[in-house]
Amino acid sequence: MVVTRRTMLRLAASAAAATCLPALGATPLTMGFSQVGAESEWRTANTASIKEAAGKDGVNLKFADAQQKQENQVKAIRSFIAQRVDVIAFSPVVESGFETVLREAKAAKIPVILTDRAVNVTDKSLYTTFIGSDFVEEGRLAARWLLQQAAKTPGKKYNIVELQGTVGSAPAIDRKAGFAEVIKGNPNLTIIRSQTGDFTRAKGKEVMEAFLKAQGNNINVLYAHNDDMAIGAIQAIEEAGMKPGKDILIISIDGVKGAFEAMMAGKLNVTIECNPLLGPQLMQIARDVVAGKPVPKRITVVEGVFPAEQAAREFPNRRY
Ligand code: GYE
């Protein structure tokens, strides 16, 4: 009798264990994430969003910082493959040169999700989906703001200097193209200098100093591919004894808090929003991908334009 009861208890216990199996089977999803670096306020917010979303979602996140170097990203992806993670997500530093390592991931049957930046590959099956902003449109929005300003001063010529993002990166290529497309054909708007500031404040300042040395009072507009470079350039303009936002109109992209502060101080004229808070969406898509559900090949983020006049009103709502 006792034995029987014990046996029954044992059976019940193993049945309970069996019902636990699906839960065990749903072991936390492991994601390898290769981040670009820590070059800007935008990137800091993006990293925080991904780590926080992974934590909330119970995703086991293996996070690697590439320090803006493609070779580090390739190494990180190879190590994720070796560790047999469930899914790889990454924000490619530059567009080209990822074909080989992506083929290795495909051969290992590990799905790849691109976040924030795109890659340039002929075989689109090398990644499952791409979640990120439309950088060409951001460039267009930046130029449209300038067209509106120029319309208020008919006949006035605007000499523009451009601070490009990281050479070969999707946001630098696309933001340049979108801006150029809109100003093309307008004889009053000319880009007189264009150089990379690698998306950082320090480089933005350094390159703006060189622009000012070469062109000085000739410069009417600065178009910076991100807020950090604009903020660095603002410093250079002030040190040259000029008034940023007045003597030189300043347009930038991202919409980070630092840009809102600069707008409220009258030193930046407009920022085009680029939303870095991609974490929650990335975790959701990763689950769908691993579960074999169909996902769209391209997922874009809806964004706004914030001119200086709206800065004080919008500032309390900003989350990054
Ligand atoms: O605009 C810039 C960052 O890829 C959208 O990278 C991102 C860009 C962002 O360094 O600040």
Side-chain angles (χ1 to χ4, degrees):
M1 182 73 183
V2 173
V3 173
T4 315
R5 204 187 285 142
R6 263 195 207 139
T7 311
M8 281 173 71
L9 282 174
R10 228 179 272 136
L11 277 174
S14 59
T19 55
C20 280
L21 272 181
L24 283 175
T27 38
L29 184 142
T30 299
M31 172 188 287
F33 187 90
S34 168
Q35 179 61 292
V36 169
E39 74 283 3
S40 64
E41 263 189 65
W42 190 100
R43 189 66 54 198
T44 308
N46 180 247
T47 294
S49 169
I50 287 158
K51 287 186 173 168
E52 194 190 310
K56 273 194 189 145
D57 238 54
V59 168
N60 173 22
L61 182 70
K62 294 181 185 294
F63 184 91
D65 177 340
Q67 301 182 333
Q68 297 236 72
K69 292 203 179 72
Q70 179 170 40
E71 65 203 78
N72 292 343
Q73 280 199 304
V74 172
K75 262 188 225 153
I77 296 170
R78 289 213 166 106
S79 113
F80 296 148
I81 297 171
Q83 293 172 64
R84 304 219 46 83
V85 298
D86 300 309
V87 58
I88 292 172
F90 82 116
S91 176
V93 179
V94 290
E95 282 191 342
S96 57
F98 283 104
E99 203 115 21
T100 309
V101 75
L102 290 181
R103 248 186 254 122
E104 291 166 22
K106 190 177 177 186
K109 297 196 167 48
I110 300 176
V112 173
I113 301 174
L114 302 175
T115 76
D116 158 36
R117 298 184 183 180
V119 289
N120 192 355
V121 287
T122 38
D123 178 0
K124 302 278 184 241
S125 77
L126 292 178
Y127 63 87
T128 312
T129 181
F130 166 35
I131 312 171
S133 306
D134 181 343
F135 300 137
V136 179
E137 185 58 16
E138 291 169 354
R140 290 192 194 110
L141 290 169
R144 283 193 200 121
W145 181 87
L146 182 58
L147 283 187
Q148 282 173 7
Q149 299 308 303
K152 295 178 192 161
T153 55
K156 183 179 161 166
K157 304 268 183 221
Y158 288 84
N159 287 330
I160 306 162
V161 293
E162 179 179 31
L163 279 171
Q164 296 181 37
T166 301
V167 176
S169 70
I173 295 167
D174 294 352
R175 288 171 182 169
K176 184 169 183 38
F179 189 88
E181 177 196 304
V182 171
I183 66 161
K184 199 171 111 199
N186 186 321
N188 293 328
L189 306 178
T190 318
I191 297 179
I192 55 168
R193 296 263 158 160
S194 182
Q195 212 177 301
T196 180
D198 211 13
F199 280 131
T200 67
R201 285 186 192 204
K203 270 280 181 66
K205 178 168 188 266
E206 193 184 305
V207 178
M208 190 67 205
E209 280 166 359
F211 286 163
L212 286 163
K213 227 182 218 165
Q215 296 288 341
N217 292 333
N218 263 340
I219 304 170
N220 308 108
V221 178
L222 162 67
Y223 167 43
H225 288 188
N226 81 342
D227 292 335
D228 285 77
M229 291 190 294
I231 291 165
I234 285 172
Q235 228 183 309
I237 295 168
E238 286 182 321
E239 283 173 16
M242 295 168 88
K243 287 202 172 63
K246 295 185 181 73
D247 297 331
I248 298 179
L249 297 179
I250 307 181
I251 307 166
S252 67
I253 299 180
D254 275 355
V256 298
K257 280 192 176 149
F260 278 77
E261 280 157 2
M263 287 195 288
M264 289 189 286
K267 298 177 182 182
L268 177 75
N269 301 86
V270 64
T271 186
I272 312 300
E273 185 181 37
C274 181
N275 188 353
L277 308 178
L278 305 176
Q281 215 175 352
L282 170 62
M283 299 310 147
Q284 182 53 52
I285 291 291
R287 287 211 180 280
D288 290 350
V289 166
V290 172
K293 292 188 193 157
V295 295
K297 195 78 188 179
R298 176 77 170 100
I299 302 166
T300 47
V301 185
V302 179
E303 291 159 341
V305 173
F306 297 103
E309 309 82 72
Q310 290 174 17
R313 189 168 8 110
E314 274 298 325
F315 188 65
N317 305 328
R318 302 305 293 167
R319 289 191 293 140
Y320 55 91

